Amino acid sequence: MKRTTQEWKQELKEFQEQTKAFYGGELDKGSYKSISGYYGSYAQRGGDAGMLRLRMTAGRVTKERMAFTARMLREYPVQRIHFTTCQTIQLHDLHPDAIARISEEALDAGIITIGGGGDYPRNVMCSPLAGVDPEEYFDVLPYAEAASEYLLGLIGTAKLPRKLKVGFSSSPANRTHATFRDLGFAARPDGKFDVYSAGGLGNRPMMGVLIAEAVDPAEVCTYCQAMWLTFLAHGNYQNRGKARSRFMQESLGGPEQYREAFLEMLAKVQNGAPQPGTEAGLRISVKEWAEKQEGACKRGDGSAAEGRRVLAQKQEGLYAVLWHPVGGQPNLNVFQAVNAAVQSIEGAELRLTPDQGAWIINLTGAEAEQMLKLTAADSARSQFERSVACIGASTCQIGVGDSQALLRACVEAVREAGIPDGALPQIHISGCPSSCGTHQIGRLGFRGGMKRADGEMCPAFTLYAGGCDVQGRESMGREIGTMLARDIPEFLVKLGQEAVQSGMEYGTWENEHPERLEEIAKAYLK
């Protein structure tokens, strides 16, 4: 059942009181965490400041949402913002008053922070270029937004799975990992979806189970409800470590048994079993959605743009520009400048990517050139610099490795060594086994930890290799061994130099010399 802005605001009152109590020393860390996660906020390491997660449904940062975020940066002492792998924007280093006020003001901009953490449906993800990508099968964005609205309506009305993560993919690029989410919708050339469930990264990662093929897009909310009911019947609510859908593959006896259980619940939903959220029916229509999109009728003006950060959209004469701050942490002045430009451009908006960047879409050639200039100094210079890193242990309470510090050290070392673009892949760094940096699906991935060296415990990361998220070629990276954090930049420079000497890009070099990666790594393993 869809709630009004005022109803959401009413829910925030307890959060605001508990936030003041925690930062005033009247509430312990564990108790506050159990409350604040529901509202999309967590205390940072040290307990002196907090983070607030702004849910950007389907990664879509409309003009209104971007203007709101920019205004918060001006009005409150926000020191850092972070583009996350779940297509949200996190505001960091916030004082308690700012956390309370921003979470309430966000609702007026169409941003709901409630459910951004804890055991609730997380931000529904979507291919970032949905609707403009010339390679997509069809525009999946309206279905992602409909699914999000349905799932938000369940909050507070039903017992839900832990961290229910839903993703929509518009092509085999599978940027949102639709084939290994709790529930994923992968577009097909015939305009329908293949539906996957019970997959996920983190502890004991698993690929999703193919539940159904050629599903009518109008049925996505039906499948969302069936997913919830399947977990309600068979999920593990006693052990938080196993309270995720992927563990049902094992507890039910295997992927096929899970599929049967899901389809049984699906049949009940389709036969009209009354459940919360069904008041307006579960089938959806996107006709009105498509008709009211700003920029839907925009056309090019004859100007053109080109470059490695420019994509020609499927709309003739329009372009998208990639803005990828290193580590997903944009310069605040650049963010303000981009916002000011977006507000003045017809149809322009941001689309957050699952690898911590953002596309600015619906631009004429001249507008694209403007965006290229605005973001030039704050955007990755190479595929390697577009690497992914979670916020890391210097900020996150449960983090072990400082992911952001490691990425900065690696980028600096690779720049100093003069390693050219293409000689190293995008790497994925997580500060702990939770895989917020998606280390398990990177061609190279690192997971934070500690290792004894020279008589003391030192920051270290476990190396993974061979991960892939492309539909039809999905694989989790194999674990190779653990390196001290201080040695990883040198290791990566060595890899890049070998690729350069071979005259090949990294992917080709590794495919033709599969043994060399582990041979080089061996010298750095502890």
Side-chain angles (χ1 to χ4, degrees):
M1 180 173 62
K2 186 175 181 179
R3 274 181 273 186
T4 65
T5 297
Q6 197 56 43
E7 287 172 329
W8 285 119
K9 285 185 177 181
Q10 190 66 28
E11 281 208 42
L12 288 172
K13 288 187 176 181
E14 179 188 356
F15 171 53
Q16 293 164 349
E17 293 173 0
Q18 298 297 337
T19 296
K20 290 179 182 178
F22 170 72
Y23 288 101
E26 302 171 12
L27 191 67
D28 66 83
K29 181 173 67 176
S31 298
Y32 180 64
K33 182 180 179 182
S34 67
I35 296 168
S36 68
Y38 172 68
Y39 298 96
S41 180
Y42 290 105
Q44 295 178 183
R45 187 174 290 274
D48 296 325
M51 170 275 285
L52 182 65
R53 183 175 294 147
L54 303 180
R55 183 195 297 268
M56 299 293 175
T57 299
R60 189 179 183 206
V61 188
T62 61
K63 286 183 179 182
E64 183 181 18
R65 292 171 183 171
M66 190 164 190
F68 165 80
T69 306
R71 181 167 63 85
M72 294 302 99
L73 301 185
R74 293 191 300 269
E75 295 183 2
Y76 298 96
V78 180
Q79 302 300 312
R80 288 182 295 157
I81 61 176
H82 183 62
F83 296 162
T84 76
T85 54
C86 285
Q87 297 178 294
T88 67
I89 296 179
Q90 290 180 178
L91 308 182
H92 283 279
D93 308 325
L94 299 176
H95 296 307
D97 285 346
I99 295 172
R101 291 179 182 177
I102 294 173
S103 61
E104 182 171 351
E105 290 187 47
L107 289 166
D108 293 322
I111 300 172
I112 298 170
T113 64
I114 291 174
D119 300 348
Y120 302 96
R122 297 300 178 87
N123 194 50
V124 172
M125 296 180 65
C126 181
S127 295
L129 290 169
V132 304
D133 186 357
E135 303 297 324
E136 71 182 2
Y137 290 143
F138 65 94
D139 183 3
V140 302
L141 178 61
Y143 304 104
E145 293 196 325
S148 178
E149 184 173 308
Y150 167 73
L151 291 169
L152 284 170
L154 289 181
I155 293 176
T157 67
K159 188 174 184 179
L160 296 167
R162 183 169 176 241
K163 290 186 182 180
L164 176 57
K165 295 184 177 182
V166 178
F168 287 75
S169 176
S170 61
S171 77
N174 199 24
R175 299 292 305 284
T176 56
H177 309 157
T179 59
F180 48 99
R181 286 277 171 193
D182 293 302
L183 185 63
F185 297 88
R188 297 162 47 102
D190 60 4
K192 297 184 178 182
F193 284 117
D194 286 340
V195 180
Y196 294 80
S197 185
L201 303 179
N203 181 33
R204 298 279 300 278
M206 294 186 187
M207 292 299 169
V209 177
L210 178 58
I211 297 297
E213 299 177 87
V215 171
D216 182 350
E219 295 287 340
V220 298
C221 291
T222 304
Y223 279 78
C224 288
Q225 187 164 98
M227 166 73 243
W228 159 52
L229 292 175
T230 302
F231 195 94
L232 191 64
H234 304 288
N236 189 334
Y237 283 100
Q238 286 70 48
N239 183 343
R240 283 186 60 81
K242 292 188 175 182
R244 295 297 304 276
S245 67
R246 61 183 179 272
F247 292 100
M248 286 191 285
Q249 290 194 46
E250 182 179 86
S251 64
L252 289 171
E256 185 55 37
Q257 288 77 7
Y258 175 79
R259 180 175 180 273
E260 290 175 1
F262 188 109
L263 292 177
E264 179 182 345
M265 290 301 176
L266 178 67
K268 291 182 179 180
V269 174
Q270 291 174 329
N271 290 332
Q275 299 293 341
T278 62
E279 292 83 356
L282 289 173
R283 287 184 63 86
I284 62 173
S285 170
V286 300
K287 182 179 179 181
E288 292 183 6
W289 183 98
E291 291 174 346
K292 68 182 180 181
Q293 295 310 297
E294 182 187 2
C297 299
K298 184 175 179 178
R299 296 292 180 267
D301 60 4
S303 59
E306 60 181 11
R308 63 178 180 82
R309 293 197 290 127
V310 177
L311 173 85
Q313 297 182 184
K314 66 182 183 182
Q315 294 83 3
E316 186 176 356
L318 296 185
Y319 300 86
V321 168
L322 178 63
W323 171 31
H324 195 127
V326 173
Q329 301 204 64
N331 178 284
L332 301 189
N333 291 328
V334 174
F335 189 94
Q336 295 286 11
V338 171
N339 169 63
V342 164
Q343 299 305 321
S344 66
I345 296 175
E346 178 193 357
E349 65 180 50
L350 254 67
R351 297 286 185 81
L352 300 173
T353 73
D355 61 357
Q356 301 179 318
W359 286 99
I360 309 163
I361 68 167
N362 293 333
L363 308 172
T364 64
E367 292 162 350
E369 291 291 347
Q370 178 189 6
M371 289 300 183
L372 285 171
K373 291 177 182 177
L374 285 177
T375 58
D378 192 40
S379 206
R381 306 175 190 175
S382 65
Q383 180 185 23
F384 173 72
E385 291 190 11
R386 292 196 294 273
S387 292
V388 178
C390 69
I391 199 64
S394 63
T395 300
C396 178
Q397 286 190 33
I398 64 172
V400 183
D402 194 340
S403 310
Q404 291 287 328
L406 176 61
L407 179 57
R408 289 193 297 270
C410 292
V411 167
E412 182 178 349
V414 168
R415 286 181 178 178
E416 288 181 356
I419 306 298
D421 191 12
L424 283 171
Q426 182 187 64
I427 65 173
H428 296 243
I429 308 171
S430 298
C432 73
S434 294
S435 199
C436 292
T438 61
H439 65 274
Q440 291 157 319
I441 53 83
R443 186 142 202 164
L444 290 177
F446 295 90
R447 186 199 71 213
M450 300 293 288
K451 191 79 173 180
R452 182 168 294 278
D454 302 323
E456 61 180 359
M457 298 302 292
C458 300
F461 286 79
T462 300
L463 171 65
Y464 291 75
C468 181
D469 55 7
V470 176
Q471 188 174 355
R473 296 192 280 125
E474 302 96 330
S475 64
M476 300 294 176
R478 66 188 186 280
E479 185 175 324
I480 292 178
T482 301
M483 299 179 178
L484 297 182
R486 66 188 183 221
D487 293 335
I488 293 173
E490 181 181 319
F491 163 67
L492 291 171
V493 167
K494 178 64 175 174
L495 282 183
Q497 288 172 338
E498 288 235 356
V500 170
Q501 291 168 6
S502 73
M504 307 174 189
E505 290 197 343
Y506 180 84
T508 304
W509 170 78
E510 186 187 1
N511 289 338
E512 295 197 6
H513 305 281
E515 75 289 345
R516 281 298 291 152
L517 170 63
E518 296 198 31
E519 288 174 0
I520 294 170
K522 189 177 297 184
Y524 298 92
L525 299 179
K526 299 296 182 181

